[in-house]
């Protein structure tokens, strides 16, 4: 068997700091579990712009297409706000998603017991929460044409287009139904069929795929605004939520905060299987580059470490090792270790970014 390959793109802001902690976990897997990875590293986002004048160099894009999985930190920062839209750091990330055709974005929102009083919601509303948002990631208003800012008469008009084809809806719906079968067997599909034609089509296609291929899975539909309300009212009613690119962006931030901190949540973006049977895949934390705390050792590396755990599970069929990493995270949280984002009313030990990474490595050692 060939050594699995990983391309690491730390990116901007806290990206390099949290990725340094992921490297410790990767090294641990090589040293203690005999699971070596062929790791290479490259630039994305503002870091790539500074070096090459583009947020994603063509060579980096080619490498991303060739490896078994990509691991990304975060992109963006105030320094790049002045750049032309076409070379903003975010365009690098969007190009990776689009060209690798990573249509299914898995965003789990799980509440760790040790953190159930960190949520802004009551403890009983979030304790034990375990939901999975599947966001369509390569189409919709993020990519639809026409788009742009035009002059009409003597004023400017901004245009974006929400566009979905049947096959784009069908494939992400299948991802959601497959996921539901491995979990609580329930899917809730969210759109705005009351005001958008693309929402009507979304609802129809999800229902058709369900009736033809997944009648055993429980399916419901909700308008996305009502979905946001229900997510804050009683999130445990959901198992898998499937929704479009823009609604998924909003709803996954909302769901993330239910768990207390954006610094905890990983994501996987998956495409079609490659020749070796593995899906095209990019793993990244849900949080952004947090420029306000970059370089201070305050960032929480857990979301990025849990993203690597998702890579173990979804790209490399190493579900047991993924669980080992997740349990190690659970253990350090139960022990009271907290990065700055997790300093709640109960105080708790405050550790730096690298302190958290070291503690997780120690918990991994203890798991052997
Ligand atoms: C996300 C982010 C991105 C998005 C940005 C950085 C382009 O918010 O992954 O949720 O809008 O998709
Ligand atoms: Mg977002």
């Amino acid at each position: 068997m060939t050594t699995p390959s990983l391309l690491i793109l730390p990116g901007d802001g806290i990206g390099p700091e949290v990725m340094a902690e992921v490297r410790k976990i990767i090294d641990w897997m090589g040293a203690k579990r005999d699971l070596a990875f062929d790791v290479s590293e490259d630039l994305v986002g503002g870091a790539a712009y500074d070096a090459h004048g583009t947020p994603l160099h063509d060579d980096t894009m080619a490498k991303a297409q060739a490896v078994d999985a990509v691991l990304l930190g975060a992109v963006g920062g105030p320094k790049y706000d002045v750049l032309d839209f076409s070379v903003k750091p975010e365009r690098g990330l969007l190009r990776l998603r689009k060209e690798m055709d990573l249509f299914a974005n898995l965003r789990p929102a799980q509440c760790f017991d040790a953190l159930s009083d960190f949520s802004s919601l009551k403890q009983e509303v979030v304790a034990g929460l375990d939901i999975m948002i599947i966001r369509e990631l390569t189409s919709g208003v993020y990519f639809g044409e026409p788009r742009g800012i035009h002059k009409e008469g003597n004023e400017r008009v901004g245009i974006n287009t929400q566009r979905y084809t049947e096959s784009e809806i069908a494939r992400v719906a299948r991802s959601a139904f497959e996921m539901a079968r491995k979990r609580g067997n329930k899917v809730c599909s969210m759109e705005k069929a009351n005001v958008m034609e693309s929402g009507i089509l979304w609802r129809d296609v999800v229902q058709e795929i369900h009736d033809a291929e997944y009648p055993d899975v429980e399916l419901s539909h909700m308008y996305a605004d009502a979905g946001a309300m229900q997510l804050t009212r009683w999130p445990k009613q959901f198992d898998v939520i499937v929704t479009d690119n823009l609604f998924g962006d909003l709803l996954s931030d909302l769901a993330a905060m239910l768990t207390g901190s954006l610094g905890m949540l990983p994501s996987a973006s998956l495409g079609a299987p490659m020749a070796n049977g593995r899906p095209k895949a990019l793993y990244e934390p849900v949080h952004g580059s947090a420029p306000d705390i970059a370089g201070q050792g305050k960032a929480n590396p857990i979301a990025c470490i849990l993203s690597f755990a998702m890579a173990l599970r979804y790209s490399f069929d190493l579900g047991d090792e993924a669980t080992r990493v997740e349990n190690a995270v659970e253990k350090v949280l139960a022990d009271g270790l907290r990065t700055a984002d997790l300093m709640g009313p109960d105080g708790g030990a405050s550790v730096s970014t690298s302190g958290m990474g070291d503690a997780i490595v120690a918990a991994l050692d203890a798991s052997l």
Side-chain angles (χ1 to χ4, degrees):
M1 229 182 74
T2 52
T3 312
S5 54
L6 271 178
L7 173 64
I8 293 196
L9 303 173
D12 308 322
I14 61 171
E17 290 164 69
V18 295
M19 201 57 88
E21 303 314 306
V22 177
R23 290 297 278 255
K24 293 178 185 169
I25 313 296
I26 296 173
D27 292 346
W28 186 90
M29 286 289 164
K32 303 286 173 75
R33 302 298 297 156
D34 207 18
L35 293 169
F37 291 91
D38 179 1
V39 182
S40 54
E41 195 169 311
D42 212 330
L43 303 172
V44 70
Y49 179 82
D50 289 340
H52 307 299
T54 162
L56 188 74
H57 195 279
D58 288 345
D59 292 349
T60 315
M61 187 67 240
K63 277 190 219 167
Q65 295 282 21
V67 292
D68 292 317
V70 178
L71 219 56
L72 186 138
V75 295
K79 174 178 163 195
Y80 306 105
D81 285 349
V82 295
L83 294 183
D84 185 73
F85 189 72
S86 64
V87 290
K88 279 204 195 298
E90 291 77 9
R91 304 309 304 172
L93 176 57
L94 293 174
R95 181 176 173 200
L96 282 164
R97 290 174 178 172
K98 186 69 178 174
E99 291 192 20
M100 293 172 74
D101 203 16
L102 306 171
F103 61 87
N105 181 212
L106 281 46
R107 298 192 161 188
Q110 247 168 310
C111 188
F112 288 86
D113 283 346
L115 299 182
S116 59
D117 58 347
F118 277 81
S119 177
S120 51
L121 299 188
K122 291 195 193 83
Q123 193 160 354
E124 74 255 27
V125 177
V126 295
L129 179 70
D130 177 7
I131 60 180
M132 176 71 85
I133 296 193
I134 299 195
R135 166 189 177 192
E136 199 291 325
L137 201 60
T138 51
S139 186
V141 77
Y142 272 59
F143 297 98
E145 301 280 349
R147 64 186 298 161
I149 301 175
H150 305 293
K151 196 98 187 195
E152 266 179 34
N154 51 14
E155 68 172 350
R156 289 170 303 159
V157 183
I159 298 174
N160 288 93
T161 302
Q162 167 82 335
R163 179 180 191 275
Y164 271 106
T165 64
E166 282 189 86
S167 53
E168 286 169 340
I169 302 167
R171 64 182 183 172
V172 76
R174 285 193 183 94
S175 301
F177 291 126
E178 293 290 339
M179 179 60 67
R181 277 183 177 165
K182 296 185 205 139
R183 298 172 40 100
N185 213 38
K186 279 200 312 193
V187 171
C188 180
S189 170
M190 296 187 187
E191 27 55 21
K192 284 282 289 175
N194 50 346
V195 286
M196 298 165 75
E197 284 79 359
S198 59
I200 295 175
L201 184 70
W202 182 280
R203 187 175 283 225
D204 282 356
V205 173
V206 171
Q207 188 68 51
E208 284 162 20
I209 296 292
H210 169 268
D211 296 351
E213 300 171 32
Y214 301 91
D216 53 301
V217 180
E218 192 184 313
L219 171 66
S220 59
H221 302 275
M222 227 178 244
Y223 298 139
D225 54 344
M229 186 268 284
Q230 290 296 339
L231 264 172
T232 48
R233 191 186 69 82
W234 189 244
K236 284 187 257 183
Q237 70 186 280
F238 298 110
D239 176 28
V240 174
I241 292 173
V242 63
T243 188
D244 77 14
N245 204 341
L246 184 61
F247 295 140
D249 183 43
L250 305 177
L251 294 171
S252 63
D253 264 24
L254 192 161
M257 208 55 211
L258 297 175
T259 70
S261 170
L262 261 181
M264 298 295 301
L265 290 201
S267 81
S269 305
L270 306 178
M274 300 184 278
N276 62 11
R278 291 174 174 143
K280 281 253 177 199
L282 180 146
Y283 300 87
E284 56 173 321
V286 172
H287 65 67
S289 60
D292 52 320
I293 59 162
Q296 301 169 36
K298 286 187 182 165
N300 184 349
I302 290 179
C304 207
I305 288 172
L306 291 176
S307 300
F308 174 61
M310 288 187 92
L312 293 171
R313 178 171 291 122
Y314 294 109
S315 282
F316 303 119
D317 253 330
L318 294 168
D320 290 348
E321 298 302 329
T323 304
R324 184 189 295 280
V325 174
E326 289 156 0
N327 288 345
V329 167
E330 189 134 30
K331 164 127 192 348
V332 301
L333 292 173
D335 287 348
L337 270 82
R338 305 279 183 265
T339 41
D341 57 313
L342 298 177
M343 291 300 291
D346 70 337
S350 177
V351 286
S352 65
T353 307
S354 67
M356 183 60 96
D358 293 341
I360 293 170
V361 168
L364 285 171
D365 276 332
S367 76
L368 294 176

